[in-house]
Amino acid sequence: MTGAMDGHAEDRGRVYQAAGDQHISEHHHHGDHGEEVAAAQGPDSVRRPAVGRPPVVLRDRAEVLERLRASVRTEQGGEAYVLYGMGGCGKTAVAYTFFQLATRECGRAGLWVNASDRASLRAGMLAVAADRGAGDGELLAARNGLRPAADLVWQHLDRSAESWLLVLDNADHPEILRDGSWLRTSPRGTVVVTTRRPAARWWPGAELQHIGVLPREDAARVLRDLAPHSGTQREAARIADRLGRLPLALTLAGGFLSQQVLDPWTMETYGRRLEEGAGVELIDQGADDLSEEDPRHLVGLTWQLTLDAFEARGLPEATALLRLLSRFAPEPLPLSLLNSPEIRGALPRARCETALRALLDQSLTELVDVGERCVQSHAVLLDSVVAATPADLGTVLHATAVRLLDAAVPGVPDAGPYDPSLRLLVPHALALLLRGGDPSASADALAVATRLSAALYRTGDYVSAWETARAAGRLGVRRLGAEHRLVLAADSRAGRARFRLGEYIEAELRLKRVHAAQERLFGADDPDTLDSRHGLQLVLGNLGKRDEAVSLLRSTVAGRRRALGSAHPLTLRSRSSLLVLLSASEIVADEDGALLSLPAECVRLLGPDHTVTLGARHNHAWALYLLGHFDEADEEIRLVTEVYRRRFGPDHPIALSAQQLLSRTLAARGLLEAAVEIMSDVVARRERGLGTDHPFTVAGRRLLGEFTSAQWHPPGGARG
């Protein structure tokens, strides 16, 4: 030996070097030594629930508590109940309250075991055996593996002199219960399990009870229970809505409000901070007095337990899917949207099914049926996942979410029947705009939202079209500026929808403002400018500003011819509109009479079933009616009406407009009784769909009155 150090150590290794004979004893402990010792020693108590913060008052859960209470009112036993739901929904709070009822009111021996991991479960159950009379020798043999531990526990539970209630809390890994056969039933007692795992296969013979979020009023009362002087019930209800009525989030928020000493917050202040984006970080400040070691007490961390488990089980795609879902809104999301090749940006499409099943199995999302099969995740969960997602991943996930939504919205929206699946996409389109990062991502999301508004408009869902375009435009202004092309396009679409809702003045003001900006920024023949101009002439025509409307429409036709060509569907649509605005003499003179052959031109260029072709035939029927060719007009509009009703349904605004013209041609041909019958149906449907005061409804009611009072003389009035 030279006296110098001849070796080196890495990580936790050690090197021993000596000049003489030495005897070395070394003990190696792998893992967290403190936790193993604590588990081996067992919990400090199984007679008291190990909960972070007992509920001050348990709100809403009366029905499930009554079912549980009925099971312990008599000496009978043998029942097992599983309380399942997402993290933070209050499963443990329900079990705690039931535990108090069973022990205080019904005289049951209460036994509480933490079943979150194998070591805690084993130690807790052996402590239960000791409580029920197991001797030291039996327990030592079980701990050392010399006799089956679960058998020992249940032998003593079966022999218990007292009836008991056993709670297995946080049993989120039911496989550890199955491996040791720890979960059984006994005639001497009742078992209650709390878990995030709802699959019935884990709980054979047990009665499953879902624990969800609270009703609005009860959620507000939770806040006021904890912070009664911070605000009103109405203010509490608004905060509860923002927190998704999740009991853990409500408890943390109420705790925060009740803890402030130097500068107390009101609920109004707290709610404003939430709206400003304080989110999960603010919510978790209410947990300062709780143990920081238990992530179940923090909304920002409670789901991380499950995500870590996914990684450990080799299911990273489940985490990837949850991160993707977090880009969308906490509303029903059609499953069809996820079943798209575009999902490959976040995870392999072949693994999406496995990932979704894993999320469902952990109550991180749920299946809902709203006329279409969807998944829905909680708002606070999604916000937590967004906050914990690395920025570089967030960019990729956002782009993937936009592409998925883009694939779900028709590329070129066409007229069609009401489609409820389109409305389901609205909150998600707006969420993508709200969560959008860089301007490019925001622009892509805004383009999809505006196209979605157009698709809703084409189906006659004008309310949803208006709300979508208006909200998208406002979000777009914040991200891109008021004069961005896509922001103006969204505003234009909102103006078109406002017109269809009967709000003509507001529609005129909006469309004039947008059209002027587009013409200044992009030019008179820009497609967006022309689109707004076409919409504006519709409004002006219905406001009685015929000359201004005709001038705009002629300009639109000329501009679309230059920009798009004479054969483009939009050019043909604008020309078709001339058939409605022009007088009989102007129709004959315009384009040397070529307007009257427009339907045949549309058939040749677009085909007989194209929507623009049908619209041209509809407007051509009106022109024939104005010209006094009642039989020809009646024949054409009758055919159009039949196609509209078959394709769009009897309540679609286009179908009702055609029926109104059909009633006019019938009346002009002397068939007043048939005209009254059709017009009565039109008015009734418009009252249901548009309201009694909508201009189209009023015009239809006036025409019906003329029919029935013999004051009607063909041709006259304006087409609705």
Side-chain angles (χ1 to χ4, degrees):
M1 301 289 291
T2 63
M5 181 66 75
D6 296 321
H8 72 279
E10 295 180 352
D11 296 333
R12 295 188 180 183
R14 306 181 202 173
V15 174
Y16 294 92
Q17 185 163 312
D21 294 335
Q22 300 287 324
H23 178 75
I24 299 173
S25 297
E26 184 170 7
H27 301 275
H28 297 273
H29 299 276
H30 301 280
D32 193 319
H33 177 64
E35 289 186 5
E36 285 194 357
V37 171
Q41 291 174 344
D44 293 330
S45 173
V46 291
R47 284 304 191 104
R48 289 183 176 274
V51 297
R53 175 184 286 174
V56 176
V57 179
L58 191 70
R59 294 293 182 182
D60 176 56
R61 312 301 191 183
E63 182 178 346
V64 62
L65 279 175
E66 182 56 34
R67 292 173 62 191
L68 293 171
R69 182 187 283 135
S71 70
V72 297
R73 280 180 177 153
T74 66
E75 289 297 310
Q76 295 180 346
E79 300 92 350
Y81 299 92
V82 174
L83 309 180
Y84 72 90
M86 67 180 294
C89 68
K91 305 178 294 294
T92 296
V94 174
Y96 173 88
T97 304
F98 176 48
F99 188 96
Q100 302 302 323
L101 292 172
T103 54
R104 295 175 182 177
E105 294 184 7
C106 304
R108 292 282 179 119
L111 305 165
W112 189 282
V113 173
N114 174 18
S116 61
D117 59 77
R118 198 179 302 274
S120 298
L121 172 67
R122 182 182 180 85
M125 290 296 276
L126 286 174
V128 165
D131 182 272
R132 294 294 88 195
D136 291 343
E138 293 177 299
L139 294 170
L140 182 60
R143 289 192 182 103
N144 291 333
L146 300 178
R147 65 175 300 174
D151 289 348
L152 173 68
V153 174
W154 282 98
Q155 284 172 11
H156 284 278
L157 285 171
D158 289 340
R159 297 171 185 170
S160 174
E162 297 175 280
S163 297
W164 45 261
L165 167 67
L166 171 63
V167 175
L168 301 176
D169 192 31
N170 295 324
D172 298 331
H173 302 285
E175 57 272 14
I176 68 177
L177 294 172
R178 174 178 289 181
D179 289 349
S181 190
W182 288 106
L183 179 59
R184 309 181 192 182
T185 57
S186 170
R188 298 301 300 143
T190 300
V191 180
V192 171
V193 180
T194 70
T195 183
R196 303 181 187 191
R197 308 287 291 276
R201 69 179 184 277
W202 294 116
W203 318 109
E207 181 176 330
L208 274 66
Q209 173 64 53
H210 178 247
I211 307 296
V213 299
L214 294 171
R216 189 171 194 258
E217 291 303 311
D218 287 295
R221 290 190 185 99
V222 169
L223 287 170
R224 302 205 69 210
D225 290 338
L226 295 166
H229 305 298
S230 298
T232 66
Q233 179 75 6
R234 177 177 294 182
E235 290 170 332
R238 285 198 292 267
I239 294 176
D241 286 341
R242 181 63 182 82
L243 298 176
R245 309 193 307 278
L246 183 71
L248 174 59
L250 296 167
T251 300
L252 292 170
F256 176 87
L257 290 168
S258 66
Q259 291 166 10
Q260 305 306 300
V261 178
L262 291 176
D263 186 19
W265 284 28
T266 64
M267 288 189 184
E268 191 276 332
T269 302
Y270 191 90
R272 186 174 64 252
R273 288 294 304 278
L274 287 175
E275 292 298 329
E276 291 171 354
V280 174
E281 183 178 350
L282 173 60
I283 298 169
D284 279 344
Q285 288 184 37
D288 289 346
D289 62 335
L290 299 177
S291 170
E292 296 183 0
E293 296 179 358
D294 190 352
R296 296 176 188 275
H297 297 155
L298 300 169
V299 296
L301 295 177
T302 182
W303 296 289
Q304 192 61 43
L305 294 169
T306 304
L307 300 186
D308 292 343
F310 287 152
E311 296 293 335
R313 292 163 52 196
L315 284 171
E317 60 269 17
T319 300
L321 180 58
L322 184 61
R323 285 173 170 167
L324 177 62
L325 293 178
S326 73
R327 314 314 297 182
F328 295 106
E331 303 292 338
L333 179 72
L335 283 172
S336 57
L337 185 138
L338 299 177
N339 190 23
S340 165
E342 299 299 334
I343 204 168
R344 64 182 177 271
L347 70 158
R349 186 181 184 186
R351 298 293 292 169
C352 187
E353 175 74 22
T354 301
L356 181 57
R357 286 204 305 267
L359 296 183
L360 293 169
D361 187 50
Q362 292 285 349
S363 297
L364 292 172
T365 192
E366 62 178 335
L367 291 175
V368 294
D369 193 334
V370 290
E372 182 170 350
R373 295 177 67 240
C374 298
V375 290
Q376 185 170 8
S377 304
H378 193 275
V380 175
L381 164 62
L382 299 182
D383 288 344
S384 300
V385 174
V386 168
T389 300
D392 56 337
L393 284 179
T395 301
V396 174
L397 291 166
H398 189 82
T400 301
V402 171
R403 287 196 297 270
L404 285 169
L405 190 67
D406 181 69
V409 178
V412 181
D414 194 7
Y418 171 70
D419 184 357
S421 65
L422 288 175
R423 185 179 289 185
L424 290 174
L425 301 178
V426 172
H428 305 294
L430 299 180
L432 290 174
L433 268 171
L434 193 61
R435 297 195 192 279
D438 59 72
S440 176
S442 296
D444 291 342
L446 179 55
V448 175
T450 303
R451 201 170 79 246
L452 176 58
S453 173
L456 290 161
Y457 179 96
R458 303 278 186 228
T459 67
D461 189 358
Y462 301 131
V463 172
S464 295
W466 152 247
E467 292 174 346
T468 303
R470 177 185 59 171
R474 287 177 176 175
L475 290 169
V477 168
R478 287 160 47 183
R479 301 285 184 183
L480 304 168
E483 292 195 334
H484 191 280
R485 174 183 287 277
L486 291 170
V487 172
L488 291 171
D491 281 348
S492 178
R493 180 52 57 189
R496 298 279 288 272
R498 200 85 183 255
F499 158 64
R500 290 296 178 182
L501 290 171
E503 298 167 354
Y504 293 168
I505 301 300
E506 295 84 351
E508 178 189 15
L509 292 173
R510 181 181 290 263
L511 285 170
K512 279 187 172 180
R513 174 181 58 79
V514 172
H515 177 258
Q518 289 171 326
E519 193 167 43
R520 171 173 54 85
L521 293 167
F522 315 131
D525 287 349
D526 182 84
D528 285 357
T529 307
L530 293 168
D531 189 58
S532 295
R533 191 179 303 161
H534 182 92
L536 179 57
Q537 63 83 22
L538 283 170
V539 180
L540 295 174
N542 278 270
L543 282 171
K545 302 179 181 181
R546 177 188 174 279
D547 291 344
E548 189 177 353
V550 169
S551 176
L552 280 177
L553 185 54
R554 290 191 187 280
S555 172
T556 304
V557 171
R560 281 182 163 169
R561 273 182 167 143
R562 288 190 296 269
L564 305 174
S566 297
H568 195 280
L570 292 179
T571 306
L572 296 169
R573 186 192 299 275
S574 292
R575 288 182 62 203
S576 170
S577 296
L578 286 169
L579 289 166
V580 178
L581 270 184
L582 300 181
S583 65
S585 59
E586 289 171 327
I587 291 171
V588 173
D590 201 82
E591 298 184 12
D592 295 326
L595 273 181
L596 288 173
S597 61
L598 183 60
E601 188 176 349
C602 288
V603 169
R604 178 174 57 82
L605 294 171
L606 305 176
D609 298 325
H610 197 282
T611 302
V612 171
T613 302
L614 291 172
R617 294 188 65 183
H618 183 174
N619 294 347
H620 183 245
W622 171 257
L624 292 173
Y625 172 78
L626 285 182
L627 292 168
H629 302 160
F630 301 135
D631 289 340
E632 295 174 59
D634 184 80
E635 181 180 358
E636 182 140 47
I637 196 59
R638 192 180 297 275
L639 292 173
V640 170
T641 299
E642 290 175 0
V643 174
Y644 279 167
R645 287 177 64 90
R646 183 175 67 253
R647 184 181 295 185
F648 307 140
D651 292 318
H652 196 287
I654 294 177
L656 294 176
S657 178
Q659 287 184 78
Q660 178 164 312
L661 178 53
L662 177 59
S663 74
R664 287 181 180 276
T665 61
L666 287 169
R669 294 173 57 226
L671 303 173
L672 266 177
E673 185 176 343
V676 167
E677 181 180 354
I678 289 177
M679 204 58 223
S680 297
D681 181 64
V682 169
V683 169
R685 292 180 186 275
R686 280 181 172 163
E687 287 178 342
R688 290 195 299 269
L690 300 175
T692 57
D693 297 328
H694 192 284
F696 287 180
T697 308
V698 172
R701 195 183 301 119
R702 183 170 58 247
L703 180 60
L704 177 61
E706 292 173 2
F707 286 165
T708 55
S709 64
Q711 295 178 357
W712 180 83
H713 300 286
R719 201 192 84 185

